[in-house]
Amino acid sequence: MPRWTPLIAAAVLSLAAATAHADFTGKVVGVVDGDTLDVLVDKRPVRVRLAEIDAPEKRQAFGTRARQMLSELAFGKIATVRDHGTDWRGTRTIGHVLVDGRDVGRGMVAAGMAWTYPQYVKDPSLYDVEAQARAEGRGLWADASPTPPWRWRAEQRTAAKAPPIN
């Protein structure tokens, strides 16, 4: 066996350890919007983006109501976060947040306050939860034609780049 084999093995193990995600528990101390909250862990807030869902933006229809619903479900409560890594910016933990054993993101979709996020969904049963909320006209599904947040954000970016009309 070559001398460098143990070095490669050690490097692979340390890389695996560095990319491993650890679940954590803490008190929800802030709700940023309908799909992002702050969990206090070791006396510091950890920003968590709810996995697999996308809620209306603050300035979008139902944005304030989505934030209020997330507050009702989680604020001030002890939550367990199933850590799935960080977002593309590296600033937020992506995770499933459980309060009293219930998945808060799934609760947001069931209440009609968030969409299943097709780009990131891993649990196809979440589409059934969304379909039920839609069929019953809950939350944002009371609107005749709600705009998904990913489309709303794209429209906002396009509008910002458009030249002014004179």
Side-chain angles (χ1 to χ4, degrees):
M1 174 160 65
R3 270 191 284 173
W4 48 266
T5 304
L7 294 175
I8 291 176
V12 168
L13 287 174
S14 67
L15 181 60
T19 59
H21 310 294
D23 296 351
F24 56 91
T25 300
K27 184 175 184 176
V28 177
V29 294
V31 175
V32 178
D33 57 27
D35 54 32
T36 307
L37 42 75
D38 291 329
V39 179
L40 195 63
V41 180
D42 296 329
K43 298 182 182 178
R44 73 173 185 82
V46 176
R47 185 139 297 171
V48 179
R49 170 72 162 76
L50 300 178
E52 301 188 78
I53 73 162
D54 201 5
E57 296 294 330
K58 291 177 188 176
R59 295 185 337 257
Q60 187 179 358
F62 288 91
T64 300
R65 290 187 54 201
R67 182 177 181 272
Q68 289 169 342
M69 175 59 73
L70 185 53
S71 288
E72 288 175 27
L73 293 173
F75 185 76
K77 298 177 181 173
I78 301 300
T80 298
V81 178
R82 292 190 181 146
D83 187 345
H84 297 291
T86 57
D87 66 1
W88 61 274
R89 294 181 195 118
T91 57
R92 298 179 295 183
T93 297
I94 304 291
H96 285 93
V97 175
L98 305 173
V99 173
D100 296 329
R102 294 190 181 106
D103 186 318
V104 173
R106 183 174 284 269
M108 290 293 291
V109 172
M113 290 296 144
W115 277 261
T116 301
Y117 204 165
Q119 185 176 350
Y120 298 106
V121 72
K122 301 225 184 320
D123 177 4
S125 74
L126 206 50
Y127 287 115
D128 297 333
V129 174
E130 180 181 301
Q132 184 72 32
R134 183 181 303 183
E136 295 177 10
R138 281 187 241 138
L140 59 89
W141 300 112
D143 191 340
S145 183
T147 303
W150 54 90
R151 188 173 310 139
W152 187 86
R153 289 188 295 268
E155 290 168 0
Q156 297 301 303
R157 285 189 297 271
T158 301
K161 290 179 183 177
I165 299 172
N166 291 330

